[in-house]
Amino acid sequence: MEEISTDILIIGSGLAGIVSALESERSGLQVLIVGKFSIGMGTNTSLANGAFTVANSRFSKEDHLKATLESGKGLNHLQRVETLVENAPDAIGRLKNYGVPVVERGIGYAIDQPEGSSQLGGVLLTKFLVERLRKSSVQVLPGIVILDLVIEEGEVQGGFGFLRDGRPCLIRSKAVILAAGGAGAIYRRNDNQKSILGDGYALALRAGLPLFDLELVQFYPFALAEPRLSTFILLPPFPKEIRLLNEKGEDLSERLNLQGNFNQAVVAQRDSLSIALHEASQKGDVCFDFTHVPQEKWQRYPLNFLKKSKFPFHDRPFLISPAVHFFMGGVEIDERGKTALPGLFAAGEVTWGIHGANRLGGNALTECAVFGKMAGQAAAEYARMGESRQEPSIPSEALRRRWERKAKGYLKKKRGSFDHPRDLLKGLKELVWKNAGPIREEGSLEEGLARLASIEKKVEAVYPATLRDLFNKRDLENICLLTRAILKGSLLRKESRGSFFRKDFPNQDDQNGLRNTCYRLEKGELRITHQPIKP
Ligand SMILES: Cc1cc2nc3c(=O)[nH]c(=O)nc-3n(C[C@H](O)[C@H](O)[C@H](O)COP(=O)(O)OP(=O)(O)OC[C@H]3O[C@@H](n4cnc5c(N)ncnc54)[C@H](O)[C@@H]3O)c2cc1C
């Protein structure tokens, strides 16, 4: 077994992870950042458009606070939002210091793309951050999947996982920052990276932490739905010549009550459009038609990005559908990124509190930059305190033996009926999309729970003969856990609010709905309670 020792371990190499690494490194302590792939790759950060909502010369801090709370429809954690708004301009300054080119735009900042560039803002952002990381003393360990947090005497002291070459790996640290992102890819239709499957949520739940508001999922209305092409979202600015058609070639704009142009609608009507398009796409094909867009507009971003594809976007209409975009729920942190578990800090999409029932566009990257910095600093202070301890609470040898046994247990051949994990994964993603997608109602949520129970039994019986099977099995277990939480939490929210829509309860119910849903794992059982909104 590979054994590594460091002061601070950071799980995740998106914006939240890299910012926390660079911040904690300033303390002079040893910092190690890990990710499932090469550092910065396979992250949702690298897919982002690159918009940061932050107070600027035309958009005040009061405006930022108000817009975030309005969007969250009463479910935001007010103090966390205040921390975000207050610290966002400074976090943007920090990014500039790291060499990231950001310019003021709209209600915040955007990655400054060179003229004619067809690269996503997130790709450029990641490139600059990884370059900055290379110049730092932060150690990197790519290609590891963390399966467990190491918890000794109630304190998080590292992580355990498998390297992609099959070696088990125990990382001991004085503090851990969880920056493992969201869970969009558990849904069949999503615009996230394939590997963003809610590992961070599952790690936190299994470590005994409560999660909040997992049922609140954000959808983006315009995602590519052509078979054999990967799902990606169609980003504004949209040229005025585009049309939204049904399979008969009829224009859907009026029928969908599209107000203004597509650029306005994608901001102001993101939720209602996702619901309407989901309904329409269940009856027949829904297409975007870009064939009337003049040639010169294809030279500019984002159309020049589409132009790079072999698919003839300029010659024929193409299928679209809404897709899962973002998870509002997650781990509770305090204003410095500390979780309720000693030694564990968290930042980014894995956390909860900022977005309420719907995220204001551009607030996710800002959240990563602000709370990445907080978590990095707080983890460094915590790790420093740990330095005064004479001996680790558990002798290295005992801990090593314990995790060697655990590693063997993970790959131990057991008898079991064999269902191919890939087929189960496909079925599970289909289930969560069909039964807990943009439109939810009691009957289909109950049906989802019944179908889930039979998949869970099959997942239990999968025996991991290879490392790939082990990773697949863990993905399946995590997705089952999150799907159960989303289905059950949705059943209990008998209203519609923000991006959450119950067809059988289409109105917002402030009498009963102004509460956060709290999910805990107790002896393997999911327990759900509710917490009134803190005034
Ligand atoms: C298409 C798209 C466009 C977007 N555009 C914008 C935008 O313009 N503005 C905005 O504010 N937001 C945007 N968002 C949302 C935003 O990009 C994300 O919320 C944000 O980047 C998440 O960053 P993160 O650091 O929390 O996680 P991520 O960037 O997703 O990184 C997660 C990291 O955790 C690692 N990880 C996960 N599990 C494990 C494990 N078990 N072991 C080891 N490593 C693990 C992954 O490998 C990865 O390195 C967009 C999202 C999408 C999908």
Side-chain angles (χ1 to χ4, degrees), residues 10-19 33-53 109 120-122 125-126 141 143-148 160-162 164 178-184 190-193 195-201 203 218 220 231-235 270 324-327 347-351 355 359-369 474-475 478:
I10 295 159
I11 304 172
S13 69
L15 180 60
I18 297 183
V19 169
I33 185 168
V34 306
K36 284 186 179 179
F37 305 101
S38 298
I39 298 305
M41 304 302 286
T43 63
N44 273 356
T45 300
S46 64
L47 288 179
N49 196 17
F52 291 79
T53 295
Y109 291 80
L120 286 172
L125 171 66
T126 305
L141 180 63
I144 179 169
V145 180
I146 299 290
L147 298 184
D148 295 286
F160 168 82
F162 280 85
R164 292 210 177 259
L178 190 61
N190 73 84
D191 62 12
N192 286 207
Q193 296 276 10
S195 56
I196 299 297
L197 293 168
D199 298 28
Y201 301 138
L203 283 169
Q218 186 178 52
Y220 186 87
T231 313
F232 57 81
I233 58 172
L234 298 147
L235 292 165
R270 193 178 272 198
V324 168
H325 190 52
F326 185 84
F327 267 58
E349 193 169 333
V350 75
T351 66
H355 312 289
R359 175 178 68 95
L360 176 70
N363 258 352
L365 291 181
T366 305
E367 173 181 31
C368 291
R474 181 40 71 100
D475 286 346
N478 290 350

Side-chain angles (χ1 to χ4, degrees), residues 259-500:
Q259 291 148 18
N261 58 32
F262 284 99
N263 294 311
Q264 290 156 338
V266 81
V267 178
Q269 292 176 268
R270 193 178 272 198
D271 306 316
S272 57
L273 265 181
S274 293
I275 293 162
L277 282 176
H278 185 57
E279 234 162 12
S281 60
Q282 280 174 331
K283 289 181 197 142
D285 291 350
V286 177
C287 297
F288 252 153
D289 180 3
F290 281 28
T291 56
H292 301 284
V293 178
Q295 267 313 316
E296 68 271 14
K297 294 199 179 172
W298 287 94
Q299 314 310 320
R300 276 180 246 144
Y301 184 82
L303 290 196
N304 59 2
F305 174 72
L306 289 185
K307 216 178 132 198
K308 284 198 300 192
S309 161
K310 286 200 179 93
F311 188 86
F313 287 105
H314 29 49
D315 294 337
R316 74 160 175 88
F318 51 90
L319 288 173
I320 59 155
S321 134
V324 168
H325 190 52
F326 185 84
F327 267 58
M328 264 76 72
V331 181
E332 183 175 20
I333 49 170
D334 73 1
E335 70 286 354
R336 304 208 55 217
K338 197 155 93 45
T339 74
L341 203 53
L344 185 68
F345 301 78
E349 193 169 333
V350 75
T351 66
W352 159 82
I354 300 295
H355 312 289
N358 202 4
R359 175 178 68 95
L360 176 70
N363 258 352
L365 291 181
T366 305
E367 173 181 31
C368 291
V370 169
F371 289 95
K373 177 185 154 196
M374 302 292 184
Q377 291 175 348
E381 279 169 30
Y382 185 89
R384 274 247 176 280
M385 271 160 38
E387 278 183 331
S388 53
R389 245 190 258 130
Q390 291 304 305
E391 287 295 322
S393 51
I394 302 289
S396 293
E397 203 35 48
L399 195 75
R400 182 190 172 85
R401 277 200 303 273
R402 190 182 309 160
W403 283 96
E404 269 173 350
R405 277 197 301 277
K406 179 111 180 170
K408 279 194 191 122
Y410 267 126
L411 283 169
K412 197 160 129 194
K413 293 215 168 68
K414 297 176 192 113
R415 289 164 67 85
S417 66
F418 185 86
D419 275 284
H420 201 292
R422 254 204 323 262
D423 298 334
L424 290 174
L425 205 58
K426 208 169 152 212
L428 202 47
K429 286 181 171 206
E430 191 66 52
L431 181 155
V432 60
W433 174 248
K434 179 171 175 267
N435 300 87
I439 301 174
R440 302 178 192 177
E441 57 186 322
E442 186 170 328
S444 77
L445 290 165
E446 294 283 13
E447 181 206 76
L449 279 169
R451 283 179 53 213
L452 179 65
S454 90
I455 297 184
E456 280 169 339
K457 281 208 189 84
K458 290 180 181 168
V459 170
E460 227 172 87
V462 166
Y463 73 86
T466 64
L467 186 71
R468 172 125 303 281
D469 290 345
L470 172 65
F471 288 160
N472 282 334
K473 174 154 179 163
R474 181 40 71 100
D475 286 346
L476 285 164
E477 288 167 343
N478 290 350
I479 302 175
C480 283
L481 183 59
L482 296 177
T483 304
R484 180 160 288 277
I486 296 169
L487 289 167
K488 283 189 144 190
S490 302
L491 269 170
L492 294 172
R493 185 169 284 287
K494 296 184 193 299
E495 62 155 356
S496 294
R497 183 183 293 271
S499 65
F500 181 87

